């Protein structure tokens, strides 16, 4: 078999072979069996033929595939056939990894890497790095995974093997998303999509990299879903599903249904529809025996049943997810399963058991450095403590996993206070006896008594101060928790009640227009107004939600909005935000006005500038935050500037947050908008 075919078979995270009819496949099996039976020499040709024969059973009979690959490997090794050894080692590592044996797969990938380095085979060096990256990720070691992915990407880029590079970028983006670095995840996904889309054969489904393009679509879907951009998320999910079904990609079809189920369950709150998608996904994953993916689907179904208040079904699927994730050592899904069981226990009002499972999940999330997962578990744990009426622990839990440490510290403080009190009372009694029995020491004891009283008074004041501080902190934490719960409730009510009402108005106006024999402009106006209000309400809900207080979420929403809007107009753009900015935390009103000014400026650019390139930059220090928006469009004459509603709104919003808004433009020289916010 040619080198190119081997590389395409062995590269990347998942292996997919174009569908062929049963008759054609059986004919190939019969032909190769006949060749192997009559070919008496055990040379390199026999090794290649045996490998080709093994590939025909890769999905239909994995054990037979593995058996023949092992036989080919042993023969290649005895013949000192390096290329054959490398290819067989890699093929064996992949099938072992696919069946969940991650630690064994790492050993095989490392062996393949060593042989590839010795043979100076750069393609398989990069391929081995990719295999190691995926295996380490699924074992929860994200830092090692990122390191190996970056090595593989560099080699494939140097070799100009752009489809292979895109495969590794897709895997790297998944790891970044797992670590909670959504900005880097989106950047990597976009690079992968761009590389895949440059190949017409991939877009048409005429090569084996089409399956990876489906993966990228699904991953972008999930990320857009996290940003709250449901419309674009559903579009990417449908693209993925169409390609998967057209090419009979079982694994990708399973993933497509899983992602669609995730959107229905997590974002649209349509739990029944989500469970239907998940069941189809689960059947496909069980068919191809993908244990780690079975765990993912079961845990998602468990989450849906929790939302439907079906505690027994939720616990059943989460325990099934726990079983499969533990079998393959998938730390992230072990964490999700433990969290799901905790939620089921919480539904049953078995709060002690719920807390027990949440704490186990916290330990696992800390083990895998899963910041997003840890946050979700802490929130659920806080809710359970809140149900028990322990508001202080609820708020403290949201900050960090210090419950056990705090309880021990509280016990030690109480013990220390008791010991000091006992010591004081004992010393006081002893002094009184001494005064009665030793008149000559009265003066000395009196002085000591005064000192002791003084120290006790100081100690009492200190103790009173500590108790007052603890009481004040408890009050503050309770108020903060109530405020967060109120913000969550407002956001939920706006989304569920107002949002559904506006959607109904828009739909009813369209139906009325279709059913009417006459054109009624007022119905168009009603529909347009309802849709505009839906967009505005989505921004308000996003602003109110406490989860979006971190500036990183603002940047991701801006990037997503610009990618969707400018991409539709084919305007090239770059978006730069320095590290100091991502660590900032803005108040709700400042976050709202900053985003709406950005949105207004971007909309104006798309509508009026005729630009082909644009740039967005956000930089900041402790004292100042600066947002700069530039385009190379046709510009306008500042002396003839007529302030429309858009410009007035931008200036008004800037004034509300005490910011300075500067607009600079000349005909034919583009436009620059700068927003500066002081004392952030």
């Amino acid at each position: 078999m040619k080198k190119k075919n081997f590389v395409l078979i062995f590269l990347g995270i998942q292996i997919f072979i174009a569908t062929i009819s049963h008759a054609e496949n059986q004919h190939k099996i019969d032909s190769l069996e006949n060749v192997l039976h009559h070919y008496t020499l055990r040379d390199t040709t026999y090794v290649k033929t045996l490998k080709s024969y093994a590939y025909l059973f890769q999905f239909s009979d994995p054990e037979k595939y593995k058996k023949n690959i092992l036989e080919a490997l042993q023969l290649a090794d005895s013949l000192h056939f390096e290329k054959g050894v490398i290819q067989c080692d890699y093929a064996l590592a992949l099938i072992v990894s696919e069946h969940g044996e991650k630690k064994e797969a790492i050993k095989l990938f490392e062996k393949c890497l060593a042989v590839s380095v010795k043979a100076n085979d750069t393609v398989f060096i990069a391929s081995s790095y990719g295999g190691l990256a995926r295996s380490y990720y699924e074992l929860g070691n994200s830092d090692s995974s990122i390191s190996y992915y970056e090595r593989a990407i560099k080699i494939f880029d140097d070799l100009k093997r752009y489809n292979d590079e895109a495969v590794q970028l897709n895997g790297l983006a998944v790891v970044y998303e797992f670590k909670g670095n959504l900005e880097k995840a989106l950047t990597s996904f976009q690079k992968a999509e761009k590389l895949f889309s440059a190949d017409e054969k991939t877009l048409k489904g005429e090569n084996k990299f089409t399956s990876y393009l489906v993966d990228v679509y699904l991953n972008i879907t999930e990320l857009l879903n996290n940003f709250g951009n449901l419309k674009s998320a559903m579009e990417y999910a449908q693209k993925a599903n169409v390609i998967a079904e057209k090419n009979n990609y079982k694994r990708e079809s399973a993933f497509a249904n899983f992602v669609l189920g995730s959107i229905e369950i997590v974002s649209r709150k349509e739990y029944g529809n989500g469970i239907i998608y998940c069941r189809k996904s689960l059947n496909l994953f069980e068919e191809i025996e993908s244990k780690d993916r079975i765990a993912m689907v079961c845990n998602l179904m468990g989450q849906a049943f929790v939302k439907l208040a079906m505690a027994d079904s939720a616990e059943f699927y989460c325990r099934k997810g726990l079983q499969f994730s533990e079998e393959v050592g998938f730390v992230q899904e072990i964490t999700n399963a433990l969290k799901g069981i905790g939620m089921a226990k919480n539904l049953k009002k078995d709060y002690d058991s719920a807390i027990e499972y949440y704490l186990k999940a916290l330990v696992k999330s800390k083990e895998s450095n899963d910041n997003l997962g840890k946050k979700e578990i802490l929130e659920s744990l806080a809710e359970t403590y809140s149900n028990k009426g322990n508001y202080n622990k609820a708020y403290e839990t949201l900050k960090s996993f210090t419950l056990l440490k705090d309880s021990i510290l509280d016990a030690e403080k109480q013990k220390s206070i008791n010991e000091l009190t006992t010591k004081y009372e004992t010393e006081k009694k002893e002094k009184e006896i001494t005064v009665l029995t030793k008149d000559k020491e009265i003066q000395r004891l009196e002085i000591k008594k005064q000192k002791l009283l003084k120290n006790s008074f100081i100690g009492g004041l200190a103790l009173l101060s500590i108790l007052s501080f603890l009481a004040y902190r408890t009050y503050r934490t309770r108020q903060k928790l109530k405020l967060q719960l109120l913000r969550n409730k407002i956001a939920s009510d706006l989304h569920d009640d107002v949002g559904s009402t506006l959607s109904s108005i828009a739909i009813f106006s369209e139906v009325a227009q279709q059913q009417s024999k006459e054109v009624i402009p007022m119905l168009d106006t009603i529909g347009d107004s309802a849709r505009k209000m839906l967009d505005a309400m989505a921004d308000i809900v996003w602003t109110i939600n406490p989860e979006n207080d971190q500036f990183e979420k603002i940047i991701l929403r801006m990037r997503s909005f610009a990618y969707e809007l400018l991409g539709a107009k084919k305007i090239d753009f770059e978006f730069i935000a320095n590290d100091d900015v991502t660590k900032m935390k803005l108040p709700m009103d400042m976050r709202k006005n900053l985003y709406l000014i950005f949105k207004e400026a971007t909309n104006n650019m798309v509508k009026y500038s005729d630009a082909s390139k644009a740039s967005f930059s956000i930089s900041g220090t402790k004292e100042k935050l600066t947002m700069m928006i530039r385009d190379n469009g046709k510009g306008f004459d500042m002396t003839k500037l007529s302030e429309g509603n858009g410009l007035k709104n931008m200036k008004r919003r800037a004034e509300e947050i005490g910011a300075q808004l500067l607009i600079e433009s000349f005909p034919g020289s583009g436009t620059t908008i700068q927003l500066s916010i002081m004392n952030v």
Side-chain angles (χ1 to χ4, degrees):
M1 184 175 285
K2 296 180 180 178
K3 176 179 179 181
K4 179 179 179 182
N5 291 333
F6 271 114
V7 173
L8 292 176
I9 290 172
F10 292 144
L11 276 176
I13 300 170
Q14 300 163 335
I15 304 174
F16 303 97
I17 301 176
T19 304
I20 54 176
S21 69
H22 175 74
E24 290 175 340
N25 196 51
Q26 189 60 46
H27 176 71
K28 289 182 179 179
I29 292 173
D30 293 341
S31 298
L32 288 175
E33 282 180 346
N34 185 54
V35 172
L36 291 170
H37 179 72
H38 291 92
Y39 196 83
T40 57
L41 292 176
R42 295 297 184 263
D43 56 7
T44 57
T45 300
Y46 187 86
V47 172
K48 295 176 183 178
T49 306
L50 188 57
K51 284 186 296 176
S52 299
Y53 177 69
Y55 295 151
L56 297 176
F57 300 97
Q58 188 169 0
F59 300 108
S60 61
D61 191 345
E63 288 301 319
K64 194 168 185 177
Y65 167 80
K66 186 175 179 180
K67 176 178 175 295
N68 284 283
I69 287 294
L70 281 170
E71 184 181 343
L73 175 60
Q74 291 172 355
L75 180 57
D77 194 41
S78 66
L79 294 171
H80 303 290
F81 179 26
E82 282 188 341
K83 179 67 71 175
V85 170
I86 293 170
Q87 294 166 348
C88 290
D89 275 340
Y90 191 75
L92 188 60
L94 283 176
I95 196 65
V96 168
S97 177
E98 286 295 311
H99 285 78
E101 302 171 38
K102 305 304 178 187
K103 292 183 179 179
E104 182 63 26
I106 286 174
K107 292 180 182 178
L108 291 169
F109 281 127
E110 286 176 343
K111 180 186 174 186
C112 181
L113 177 61
V115 179
S116 301
V117 169
K118 182 180 178 182
N120 197 28
D121 191 327
T122 52
V123 170
F124 273 95
I125 290 173
S127 300
S128 300
Y129 283 148
L132 286 166
R134 180 188 176 190
S135 298
Y136 275 113
Y137 162 66
E138 293 185 339
L139 283 175
N141 190 340
S142 53
D143 291 335
S144 294
S145 178
I146 289 173
S147 175
Y148 281 116
Y149 271 130
E150 288 175 344
R151 296 182 208 178
I153 289 167
K154 184 179 186 307
I155 293 174
F156 282 131
D157 188 63
D158 291 342
L159 295 173
K160 301 188 186 305
R161 299 180 70 95
Y162 297 122
N163 276 332
D164 298 327
E165 181 185 355
V167 170
Q168 307 305 323
L169 280 165
N170 182 40
L172 178 62
V174 171
V175 183
Y176 277 131
E177 185 175 5
F178 166 69
K179 283 176 68 68
N181 194 331
L182 303 184
E183 185 176 0
K184 284 189 176 181
L186 180 60
T187 300
S188 295
F189 281 138
Q190 289 172 345
K191 287 181 180 177
E193 181 189 8
K194 186 175 181 179
L195 289 173
F196 279 136
S197 300
D199 190 330
E200 292 185 3
K201 290 185 177 180
T202 301
L203 289 174
K204 293 178 181 178
E206 295 176 356
N207 68 31
K208 295 165 187 175
F209 285 100
T210 304
S211 61
Y212 295 107
L213 178 59
V214 177
D215 279 343
V216 172
Y217 283 154
L218 291 173
N219 288 324
I220 293 178
T221 296
E222 185 176 358
L223 208 55
L224 291 172
N225 183 36
N226 290 335
F227 295 158
N229 193 339
L230 292 183
K231 181 180 178 182
S232 296
M234 291 294 290
E235 288 176 357
Y236 272 102
Q238 293 300 339
K239 285 181 184 179
N241 207 22
V242 168
I243 297 175
E245 290 183 355
K246 178 182 178 181
N247 292 277
N248 195 26
Y249 294 149
K250 288 185 178 180
R251 186 176 300 274
E252 286 88 341
S253 183
F255 266 114
N257 281 281
F258 171 71
V259 173
L260 287 167
S262 178
I263 292 175
E264 294 286 357
I265 291 169
V266 179
S267 302
R268 293 168 60 85
K269 314 300 181 187
E270 296 289 344
Y271 305 115
N273 292 341
I275 289 171
I276 293 172
Y277 280 120
C278 285
R279 287 191 191 280
K280 184 175 180 181
S281 174
L282 182 59
N283 290 336
L284 289 168
F285 279 133
E286 287 178 337
E287 186 178 339
I288 59 179
E289 299 180 0
S290 181
K291 293 182 179 180
D292 47 356
R293 309 308 174 189
I294 291 172
M296 290 172 60
V297 181
C298 285
N299 289 335
L300 181 60
M301 291 178 72
Q303 181 182 341
F305 281 115
V306 165
K307 295 298 184 181
L308 292 172
M310 299 173 66
D312 290 335
S313 296
E315 186 171 351
F316 170 80
Y317 279 103
C318 287
R319 287 194 181 279
K320 185 175 180 180
L322 181 61
Q323 173 193 342
F324 280 99
S325 55
E326 285 181 336
E327 284 183 17
V328 298
F330 199 167
V331 179
Q332 183 184 7
E333 289 307 318
I334 292 174
T335 304
N336 290 336
L338 290 169
K339 181 183 72 174
I341 296 172
M343 288 179 171
K345 294 292 186 184
N346 192 43
L347 275 176
K348 296 178 180 180
K349 298 185 178 179
D350 185 357
Y351 299 130
D352 291 333
S353 295
I355 290 171
E356 178 185 350
Y357 278 101
Y358 286 142
L359 292 177
K360 289 180 181 179
L362 270 175
V363 172
K364 282 295 178 184
S365 67
K366 189 174 182 181
E367 190 179 303
S368 61
N369 197 26
D370 180 6
N371 293 328
L372 287 178
K374 182 178 179 182
K375 177 180 177 296
E376 293 171 358
I377 297 163
L378 287 171
E379 289 174 344
S380 298
L381 184 58
E383 181 184 354
T384 305
Y385 276 119
S386 180
N387 290 337
K388 293 188 71 176
N390 193 335
Y391 293 105
N392 186 53
K393 280 191 177 181
Y395 181 71
E396 289 299 322
T397 301
L398 288 172
K399 293 194 296 182
S400 62
F401 181 37
T402 57
L403 293 175
L404 183 59
K405 179 181 177 183
D406 287 347
S407 64
I408 294 173
L409 184 58
D410 290 341
E412 288 178 350
K413 284 181 179 178
Q414 188 61 48
K415 182 180 178 182
S416 177
I417 291 171
N418 291 338
E419 288 176 351
L420 287 172
T421 303
T422 302
K423 184 178 179 181
Y424 170 73
E425 294 296 335
T426 302
E427 288 180 354
K428 184 177 179 181
K429 288 178 182 179
E430 289 176 350
K431 288 181 180 107
E432 289 174 351
I433 294 170
T434 303
V435 168
L436 292 172
T437 58
K438 296 182 179 181
D439 292 339
K440 64 179 181 179
E441 295 181 2
I442 289 176
Q443 187 176 4
R444 183 176 62 84
L445 290 174
E446 192 67 22
I447 294 172
K448 277 193 171 184
K449 184 179 178 181
Q450 292 299 324
K451 287 183 178 179
L452 182 60
L453 288 172
K454 180 182 177 181
N455 292 336
S456 299
F457 177 74
I458 294 172
L461 285 177
L463 180 60
L464 181 62
S465 299
I466 292 172
L467 292 174
S468 299
F469 171 76
L470 290 175
Y472 174 72
R473 190 178 68 170
T474 300
Y475 171 78
R476 284 290 304 277
T477 55
R478 184 177 297 183
Q479 294 304 312
K480 287 182 179 179
L481 181 61
K482 287 181 179 178
L483 179 59
Q484 285 195 359
L485 293 174
L486 178 62
R487 288 175 66 185
N488 284 332
K489 187 175 187 305
I490 292 171
S492 177
D493 290 347
L494 281 173
H495 180 271
D496 295 340
D497 298 335
V498 182
S500 61
T501 302
L502 289 172
S503 296
S504 300
I505 292 171
I507 293 170
F508 290 154
S509 66
E510 290 178 5
V511 171
Q513 188 74 287
Q514 292 172 2
Q515 292 179 350
S516 175
K517 295 180 180 180
E518 299 179 4
V519 177
I520 306 176
M522 184 62 70
L523 289 177
D524 285 335
T525 303
I526 292 172
D528 290 341
S529 298
R531 282 185 284 273
K532 288 178 181 177
M533 283 300 298
L534 271 173
D535 289 339
M537 190 200 66
D539 291 334
I540 294 171
V541 170
W542 180 85
T543 302
I544 292 174
N545 195 328
E547 293 184 358
N548 299 319
D549 286 347
Q550 292 293 340
F551 204 92
E552 184 178 5
K553 292 290 185 72
I554 306 172
I555 293 173
L556 290 172
R557 188 169 178 88
M558 288 178 172
R559 185 187 292 275
S560 177
F561 180 79
Y563 181 73
E564 180 180 0
L565 201 62
L566 274 63
K569 295 286 288 185
K570 296 183 179 179
I571 300 175
D572 291 334
F573 75 95
E574 62 176 0
F575 196 114
I576 301 171
N578 63 24
D579 292 338
D580 291 335
V581 171
T582 60
K583 298 174 183 177
M584 289 183 176
K585 193 171 183 179
L586 294 184
M588 183 172 65
D589 60 334
M590 192 173 291
R591 183 175 78 243
K592 178 193 73 173
N593 285 299
L594 174 69
Y595 175 69
L596 291 177
I597 290 171
F598 164 84
K599 189 175 180 181
E600 185 73 42
T602 306
N603 274 320
N604 288 343
M605 179 195 302
V606 171
K607 288 180 181 178
Y608 307 118
S609 71
D610 292 335
S612 61
K613 291 184 179 180
S615 68
F616 303 86
S617 67
I618 301 179
S619 59
T621 63
K622 292 181 179 180
E623 294 79 22
K624 182 179 179 182
L625 174 69
T626 302
M627 176 174 70
M628 190 82 72
I629 302 174
R630 294 189 177 94
D631 67 63
N632 67 343
K634 61 185 180 183
F636 55 86
D637 189 346
M638 294 289 293
T639 61
K640 300 179 181 179
L641 179 61
S642 174
E643 294 189 357
N645 288 333
L647 185 55
K648 287 181 180 178
N649 287 337
M650 290 167 64
K651 289 188 174 182
R652 176 178 56 81
R653 295 187 186 282
E655 290 173 358
E656 282 184 16
I657 56 177
Q660 183 180 17
L661 181 69
L662 297 176
I663 302 174
E664 183 177 324
S665 184
F666 300 97
S669 299
T671 301
T672 298
I673 298 175
Q674 177 178 310
L675 180 73
S676 300
I677 306 175
M678 306 300 292
N679 301 319
V680 293

